[in-house]
Amino acid sequence: MLLSHLQKQLILCAIDSVDPKKASIVVYSTCSVMPDENEAVVAYALRKRPHVKLVPTGLEFGKEGFTSFRGKSFGETLKLTRRFYPHVHNMDGFFVAKLHVGKRTKKMDMDEDAVKPELTGIVDDENEAGGQVGEGNVQFDEEEDQKVMEALKRKRLKAKGYRPSKKPQSSSP
């Protein structure tokens, strides 16, 4: 169950990572034949990202994906996915889904009366004024950040067997 949760997060991150101004293709493939890790994850992504659609994989062999399994319904479009079984296809079992990620559009039809969520401390990088959303203002302490980065660097060097100096190295301007 924990693995399928991670896979759901990963597929959403992959979808969100493509250029929002262009249509793109994301291929989701696992070396598993478990519906919880395959069809359930793809169906979840399709529900969460309405601009994503399944398209044919282009693979001529393999079995169609499940549209339902043990009382769970995944939707008819999951027939476009492909399943490969070790005992049928003489290879490791795996699953393939090809997702077309369409251009994202903003929802501009938000009601005037709708309650807007409080977004404290979230940077609004789409705002042309370059300001903050909400009342909070996130501040970064360059000196403190440098100390943390130096400590992590020393820790990595120790893990590799080196003896790093205890003094933080000063960076030249």
Side-chain angles (χ1 to χ4, degrees), residues 19-165:
D19 188 354
K21 297 173 186 151
K22 296 182 191 173
S24 303
I25 297 291
V26 171
V27 174
Y28 177 74
S29 180
T30 64
C31 56
S32 168
V33 292
M34 296 180 61
D36 285 344
E37 295 179 23
N38 298 326
E39 287 89 352
V41 173
V42 173
Y44 175 82
L46 294 173
R47 279 192 316 272
K48 292 293 183 179
R49 301 296 186 267
H51 61 286
V52 175
K53 304 289 182 233
L54 267 174
V55 294
T57 60
L59 301 171
E60 299 298 321
F61 64 105
K63 302 282 185 184
E64 288 182 346
F66 294 147
T67 57
S68 63
F69 183 78
R70 292 191 179 177
K72 295 179 185 176
S73 178
F74 305 121
E76 289 298 314
T77 60
L78 271 289
K79 284 183 180 179
L80 296 172
T81 63
R82 287 284 179 212
R83 303 180 128 264
F84 301 90
Y85 297 105
H87 64 285
V88 175
H89 300 101
N90 198 24
M91 61 177 71
D92 289 341
F94 62 97
F95 172 86
V96 178
K98 188 175 178 182
L99 303 161
H100 178 267
V101 182
K103 295 179 184 179
R104 286 177 245 167
T105 58
K106 292 183 182 182
K107 293 183 180 178
M108 300 303 274
D109 47 4
M110 187 173 184
D111 294 334
E112 298 275 333
D113 301 329
V115 178
K116 293 182 182 177
E118 184 178 326
L119 302 173
T120 306
I122 298 175
V123 177
D124 180 13
D125 56 356
E126 293 180 1
N127 183 355
E128 291 183 17
Q132 297 280 337
V133 173
E135 297 173 5
N137 191 4
V138 179
Q139 296 290 326
F140 294 99
D141 183 0
E142 293 290 332
E143 231 176 88
E144 185 65 28
D145 290 344
Q146 189 63 31
K147 289 178 189 176
V148 171
M149 289 174 19
E150 288 293 329
L152 289 172
K153 185 176 180 183
R154 285 194 302 278
K155 186 175 179 180
R156 268 184 301 186
L157 289 173
K158 280 184 183 178
K160 290 182 179 180
Y162 295 105
R163 289 186 180 174
S165 64

